[in-house]
Amino acid sequence: MSVASRSATNQNIFQQMKDIVFDQTISHQCGVTMNDSVEARGIAEFMARKPEVTVTYQPALIRIDGEGKLVFKMDEISEILGKEMTAEIFEVNTSTHYGRMVRVDDNTVTLFGNMEEILEYIE
């Protein structure tokens, strides 16, 4: 297939700005993206058991998305992995996150999608 005929059959997956509709709704979603690793797979498998959590496996990444808030308990994750997981190691494993991340204590990292819930943690 020539370059000209190949490019003619490709679809453009991107929309032009004039075609995008922005609605004024607020999302209460939050989540993390982790590089695919043994630790990330263990965390994802554990979190997938929780209601309102969606886990998406991509070729090199794993996304964990939730509604309202996501609570990551290091002792529970350690038990699943069979080795210690600390809040610091957890944060190193997360490539990025959205929502407000709060380290509640040494055992708990919480992501908030609902910003009203985070007010109790703000001084």
Side-chain angles (χ1 to χ4, degrees):
M1 180 180 283
S2 72
V3 172
S5 62
R6 186 174 40 227
S7 63
T9 61
N10 289 340
Q11 296 284 329
N12 185 354
I13 62 169
F14 299 102
Q15 294 180 348
Q16 295 183 6
M17 285 301 293
K18 67 178 179 64
D19 296 330
I20 297 175
V21 176
F22 294 98
D23 52 3
Q24 298 298 314
T25 60
I26 296 174
S27 166
H28 291 296
Q29 292 182 314
C30 55
V32 296
T33 302
M34 307 178 96
N35 290 324
D36 192 353
S37 67
V38 171
E39 290 84 3
R41 285 181 178 266
I43 294 167
E45 182 181 309
F46 174 72
M47 293 300 289
R49 299 177 193 165
K50 297 183 177 194
E52 303 294 322
V53 173
T54 303
V55 173
T56 307
Y57 294 89
Q58 298 175 350
L61 301 170
I62 300 173
R63 283 189 50 148
I64 303 171
D65 300 291
E67 185 70 30
K69 70 180 172 183
L70 288 171
V71 179
F72 296 90
K73 296 279 192 179
M74 300 306 115
D75 58 347
E76 295 172 345
I77 294 169
S78 295
E79 189 174 316
I80 293 292
L81 294 177
K83 65 180 185 178
E84 183 182 20
M85 174 61 69
T86 65
E88 292 84 7
I89 296 170
F90 174 80
E91 289 182 32
V92 167
N93 277 286
T94 58
S95 300
T96 188
H97 72 274
Y98 67 101
R100 182 72 62 123
M101 183 182 281
V102 175
R103 187 168 162 183
V104 177
D105 55 37
D106 286 341
N107 188 56
T108 310
V109 175
T110 303
L111 279 166
F112 292 91
N114 183 345
M115 293 302 128
E116 291 175 7
E117 278 192 67
I118 199 166
L119 294 178
E120 70 182 84
Y121 296 95
I122 297 175
E123 294 180 20

